[in-house]
Amino acid sequence: MKERGKTNAQASVDDRYTQWKSLVPVLYDWLANHNLVWPSLSCRWGPQLEQATYKNRQRLYLSEQTDGSVPNTLVIANCEVVKPRVAAAEHISQFNEEARSPFVKKYKTIIHPGEVNRIRELPQNMKIVATHTDSPDVLIWDVDAQPNRHAVLGASESRPDLILTGHQDNAEFALDMCPTEPFVLSGGKDKSVVLWSIQDHISAAAVDQGSAKSPGSKTPSKAAGEKASESPCIGPRGIYQGHDDTVEDVQFCPSSTQEFCSVGDDSCLILWDARTGTRPTVKVEKAHNADLHCVDWNRHDENLILTGSADNSVRMFDRRNLTADGVGAPIYKFEGHKAAVLCVQWCPDKASVFGSAAEDGFLNVWDHDKVGKKKERVGTRMPNSPPGLFFQHAGHRDKVVDFHWNTSDPWTIVSVSDDCESSGGGGTLQIWRMSDLIYRPEEEVLEELEKFKSHILACSSKS
């Protein structure tokens, strides 16, 4: 019976995927599908490299989680992002899900010590990234200064440019870099949140850009063939205690180096202010009915915070409603996923829009401004969708473990799924942008469509 259930479930996934693929020309302005040999647990956009007439070239960071036959790696790829309204419908629908996209090309490989569980780029210098692995340390990499490595069995690990120490147990997922200053935030199994400043090391790299000097170096890197010294380490600025279980995600306030929040397996959402000490300023007990996996702070409205949980829901909190003793309910619960929510992120292009990715294989795009409005479902192709949900990306066959909005190309998303359970291995990376007819104001869309009305009627009469 168990095997039959598994077969039925897989058939359901296949049917859903086939239906989705038939709708790609209608739902998307552009889509690139890239098959991964190894699953990726994290994906992030890097700096934009070049702007051209029909497409832009941009860095993309992703991880490769291997089975041990070859080393785990941090991959730096160059990605061609097609501009809006350039790709023809037949072009975006003609992709092979088992092939690699010509729009994504591997540029450099860093052999990572352990799995790459999370990647975060430094907003002030997107060539500097932090990674979390199965250890207490946070690793800092200058991706331009790092040599390209060939990931074969027995190859030596790449040397981080800087190691951040301070956790007493493994810190695997909770990681963020400050939008305004070179600060790094982390959470781990030791139930603590740890804060570092890498200002001095970033400054040293900026002063010596002409050499091979890295963010953590006191002297220029050794020439090729010379033995590399150990990576420099720095300790934390502060260690913050308040969680009762593993910290799963952390996030800086968009405008502050001193304010941040965290969520964990204790079902708590905690707000911190480094200026007032190392204890929580607000601790929301039972923010969800299960473990919390992810959190994001709205850059357009800093009162709004999103959380995602193993209870399959996304909740939105207004920090003005929260008191020091943790009293305060979410202002809304978004319930549309059928499995644990793994990632939430506000859209950089519209203050009320956000995305959520889950183990059910869907990446949902929501607009909380549409909640409670009679016209909230206009433009969506999901007549029975929950309030606020206006787009559902169903291009992944298995759990969507990470995604990232592109700040250089509006409404463009990169997402990755771990396909091991459905296909026995590998993963899928997709770069996509929904049709602007879906998210633009209804009046604007109708006005544009009106221009084509006479043309459509004329074609209809001829046929």
Side-chain angles (χ1 to χ4, degrees):
M1 289 296 291
K2 190 175 180 181
E3 280 301 312
R4 181 182 294 177
K6 184 177 179 182
T7 303
N8 290 342
Q10 187 57 51
S12 175
V13 170
D14 290 344
D15 289 345
R16 186 189 81 190
Y17 182 80
T18 301
Q19 183 182 16
W20 167 81
K21 195 171 178 182
S22 70
L23 292 172
V24 164
V26 179
L27 297 177
Y28 297 85
D29 178 65
W30 180 60
L31 183 137
N33 188 91
H34 190 72
N35 179 260
L36 301 171
V37 176
W38 303 108
S40 178
L41 295 182
S42 191
C43 59
R44 300 292 289 187
W45 290 109
Q48 193 171 76
L49 304 174
E50 181 184 3
Q51 293 188 3
T53 305
Y54 298 111
K55 55 191 176 184
N56 299 325
R57 199 158 56 91
Q58 190 168 353
R59 281 279 155 80
L60 189 63
Y61 304 126
L62 63 147
S63 63
E64 288 184 324
Q65 183 189 25
T66 71
D67 61 0
S69 59
V70 293
N72 292 291
T73 62
L74 170 62
V75 175
I76 297 94
N78 288 338
C79 176
E80 292 180 336
V81 181
V82 175
K83 289 189 173 182
R85 301 199 170 195
V86 168
E90 59 270 19
H91 172 73
I92 65 168
S93 63
Q94 292 171 354
F95 66 87
N96 179 359
E97 49 264 40
E98 297 179 359
R100 297 188 175 190
S101 170
F103 294 101
V104 181
K105 293 182 172 63
K106 188 179 287 189
Y107 166 73
K108 185 181 286 188
T109 299
I110 293 171
I111 299 180
H112 200 273
E115 295 179 354
V116 188
N117 297 325
R118 184 89 25 120
I119 306 166
R120 289 293 180 265
E121 72 289 348
L122 184 67
Q124 306 93 51
N125 182 352
M126 296 175 78
K127 296 173 184 177
I128 307 296
V129 300
T131 57
H132 254 328
T133 184
D134 40 1
S135 86
D137 300 329
V138 178
L139 308 181
I140 305 294
W141 308 88
D142 181 338
V143 297
D144 275 7
Q146 284 287 330
N148 186 27
R149 303 292 303 280
H150 189 46
V152 294
L153 186 63
S156 59
E157 296 169 347
S158 299
R159 182 173 68 90
D161 294 285
L162 185 63
I163 297 175
L164 311 184
T165 62
H167 279 292
Q168 301 304 309
D169 201 346
N170 285 1
E172 297 176 340
F173 294 103
L175 183 65
D176 193 32
M177 299 184 97
C178 180
T180 56
E181 296 287 342
F183 284 19
V184 182
L185 196 63
S186 169
K189 289 185 176 180
D190 57 3
K191 308 172 189 176
S192 65
V193 174
V194 183
L195 174 69
W196 297 268
S197 169
I198 56 174
Q199 176 68 53
D200 295 342
H201 304 277
I202 298 299
S203 299
V207 168
D208 198 14
Q209 284 182 340
S211 75
K213 196 168 183 179
S214 65
S217 307
K218 297 299 181 186
T219 57
S221 301
K222 298 285 186 181
E226 290 186 44
K227 186 176 179 181
S229 60
E230 291 298 315
S231 301
C233 301
I234 61 168
R237 278 200 169 192
I239 299 177
Y240 303 86
Q241 306 283 354
H243 280 284
D244 300 316
D245 207 333
T246 300
V247 181
E248 293 287 358
D249 201 8
V250 290
Q251 186 77 200
F252 278 101
C253 174
S255 63
S256 173
T257 59
Q258 305 298 315
E259 295 175 87
F260 39 91
C261 63
S262 59
V263 295
D265 290 343
D266 55 3
S267 303
C268 292
L269 163 66
I270 296 182
L271 275 60
W272 311 84
D273 190 333
R275 296 166 296 191
T276 62
T278 58
R279 304 301 298 177
T281 55
V282 175
K283 183 175 182 177
V284 182
E285 305 274 1
K286 289 292 177 186
H288 282 257
N289 301 321
D291 298 357
L292 272 73
H293 291 151
C294 47
V295 65
D296 197 31
W297 206 315
N298 193 320
R299 70 172 71 186
H300 300 286
D301 183 348
E302 292 178 4
N303 292 309
L304 300 181
I305 295 172
L306 288 173
T307 55
S309 168
D311 67 7
N312 307 351
S313 75
V314 176
R315 299 188 179 184
M316 184 167 66
F317 292 86
D318 187 328
R319 63 171 171 169
R320 294 168 297 188
N321 297 347
L322 308 176
T323 61
D325 56 359
V327 176
I331 58 176
Y332 200 78
K333 300 176 184 179
F334 298 88
E335 297 176 324
H337 286 290
K338 294 180 173 61
V341 178
L342 302 178
C343 183
V344 291
Q345 191 182 51
W346 289 102
C347 173
D349 307 302
K350 188 177 179 184
S352 59
V353 171
F354 65 90
S356 61
E359 290 183 353
D360 60 7
F362 289 108
L363 199 166
N364 290 342
V365 183
W366 311 77
D367 187 344
H368 72 79
D369 274 357
K370 295 181 182 293
V371 173
K373 295 183 179 179
K374 291 181 181 179
K375 291 187 176 182
E376 64 173 293
R377 295 191 179 100
V378 172
T380 181
R381 299 179 193 336
M382 300 167 293
N384 299 314
S385 61
L389 179 63
F390 74 94
F391 189 82
Q392 192 168 58
H393 178 64
H396 293 286
R397 292 174 181 263
D398 214 323
K399 54 182 176 288
V400 183
V401 291
D402 200 13
F403 74 95
H404 192 201
W405 294 91
N406 194 327
T407 55
S408 299
D409 269 274
W411 294 90
T412 303
I413 290 177
V414 59
S415 53
V416 287
S417 58
D418 181 346
D419 301 342
C420 287
E421 289 186 18
S422 61
S423 64
T428 302
L429 179 144
Q430 291 180 338
I431 303 165
W432 51 277
R433 181 171 53 240
M434 71 181 82
S435 168
D436 63 4
L437 297 177
I438 295 172
Y439 61 78
R440 280 166 51 203
E442 184 181 351
E443 299 77 15
E444 191 179 303
V445 171
L446 291 174
E447 185 180 340
E448 180 175 320
L449 293 177
E450 186 69 27
K451 298 174 184 177
F452 297 97
K453 185 177 179 181
S454 57
H455 174 70
I456 294 169
L457 291 174
C459 291
S460 300
S461 60
K462 287 178 182 177
S463 60

